[in-house]
């Protein structure tokens, strides 16, 4: 991976980039029927019918940046994965220790 390139004074107009990564997951509808007496395993309901209703988008994170076309630069502002998707808390991510400590380091 190439090291990041920093631009002190970007020129020209900027375009905000906002992306929401997602995964496709099946949308399945289950219809349950309550049984009058519990079964041997203690069940009180049974699946009467199942129906596949298509696919749905489940957002897994957020990404925001500014794009400066004249400089051919994308300035990353925010990027994270939602809880339950990431395997490490951001503060414990070893990759983040390679980033500059503050924005003063990029001016």
């Amino acid at each position: 991976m190439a090291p990041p390139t920093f631009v002190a004074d970007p020129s020209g107009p900027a375009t905000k980039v906002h992306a929401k990564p997602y995964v496709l997951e099946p949308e399945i509808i289950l219809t349950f029927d309550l049984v009058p007496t519990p079964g041997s395993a203690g069940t009180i309901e049974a699946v009467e019918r199942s129906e596949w209703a298509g696919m749905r988008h489940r957002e897994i994170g957020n990404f925001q940046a500014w794009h400066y076309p004249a400089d051919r630069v994308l300035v990353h502002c925010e990027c994270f994965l939602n809880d339950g998707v990431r395997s490490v808390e951001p503060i414990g991510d070893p990759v983040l220790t390679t980033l500059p400590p503050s924005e003063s380091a990029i001016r």
Side-chain angles (χ1 to χ4, degrees):
M1 180 196 296
T5 302
F6 301 107
V7 177
D9 294 313
S11 60
T15 303
K16 184 172 184 177
V17 178
H18 188 190
K20 294 189 175 198
Y22 65 89
V23 294
L24 287 175
E25 60 184 17
E27 185 171 359
I28 299 172
I29 300 169
L30 298 175
T31 303
F32 292 96
D33 186 24
L34 296 176
V35 294
T37 57
S40 61
T43 58
I44 60 169
E45 59 191 10
V47 175
E48 180 181 302
R49 185 178 50 159
S50 64
E51 176 185 346
W52 180 63
M55 301 294 279
R56 63 178 167 224
H57 296 138
R58 183 170 63 93
E59 289 182 11
I60 60 169
N62 190 23
F63 174 81
Q64 294 185 40
W66 289 98
H67 178 234
Y68 295 89
D71 297 315
R72 297 183 62 198
V73 171
L74 183 70
V75 179
H76 166 249
C77 300
E78 175 182 79
C79 181
F80 65 85
L81 292 174
N82 294 342
D83 294 338
V85 178
R86 63 178 180 252
S87 60
V88 177
E89 285 295 317
I91 196 72
D93 190 340
V95 174
L96 295 179
T97 61
T98 63
L99 298 175
S102 70
E103 75 175 69
S104 63
I106 63 174
R107 294 194 186 271

